[in-house]
Amino acid sequence: MKNPHDIILRPVVSEKAFGSVNDKRYVFEVAKDANKIEIRKAVEAVFDVKVDSVNTLRTLGKIKRQGRYSGRTPEIKKAYVTLKPDSKTIDFFDGEQ
């Protein structure tokens, strides 16, 4: 079994991600090989919350050029995690220290 901290890499901090925090929907960047069940267990273990659903999204890296050479930025996998209504919120996104 994988370490939960190896599955959840970092939270996605963007305006769109923070817009859905009031609905108990959080966005994380996760390991590319993690599936929805592993992501659910990792979020429940790390943040001590109850997860209702997990939606995942893989994005290809953008093509970048440096002179005549081109390459891609790394691809990432994001997980949209919705918590159950009776679950507590994740303190990291509340902005309270």
Side-chain angles (χ1 to χ4, degrees):
M1 183 173 160
K2 296 181 184 177
N3 183 1
H5 294 285
D6 291 337
I7 294 174
I8 301 171
L9 302 179
R10 66 186 60 87
V12 175
V13 182
S14 66
E15 191 172 340
K16 184 177 178 182
F18 271 104
S20 60
V21 169
N22 293 335
D23 300 331
K24 292 189 175 182
R25 189 173 173 94
Y26 302 95
V27 185
F28 297 99
E29 185 176 330
V30 297
K32 285 185 263 187
D33 60 343
N35 60 32
K36 292 182 181 184
I37 297 168
E38 291 173 339
I39 295 167
R40 173 190 299 262
K41 289 179 181 178
V43 170
E44 288 177 347
V46 171
F47 298 107
D48 193 32
V49 293
K50 298 177 186 173
V51 175
D52 187 27
S53 66
V54 176
N55 296 329
T56 58
L57 168 75
R58 286 185 71 162
T59 60
L60 278 178
K62 293 181 179 178
I63 296 177
K64 298 287 186 176
R65 290 186 43 171
Q66 183 73 31
R68 66 180 184 175
Y69 302 103
S70 64
R72 288 191 176 267
T73 59
E75 67 178 58
I76 63 169
K77 184 173 186 176
K78 291 193 283 188
Y80 291 83
V81 179
T82 305
L83 303 182
K84 291 188 178 181
D86 61 339
S87 176
K88 67 178 185 129
T89 59
I90 297 177
D91 297 333
F92 178 82
F93 289 94
D94 291 340
E96 299 170 3
Q97 302 290 336

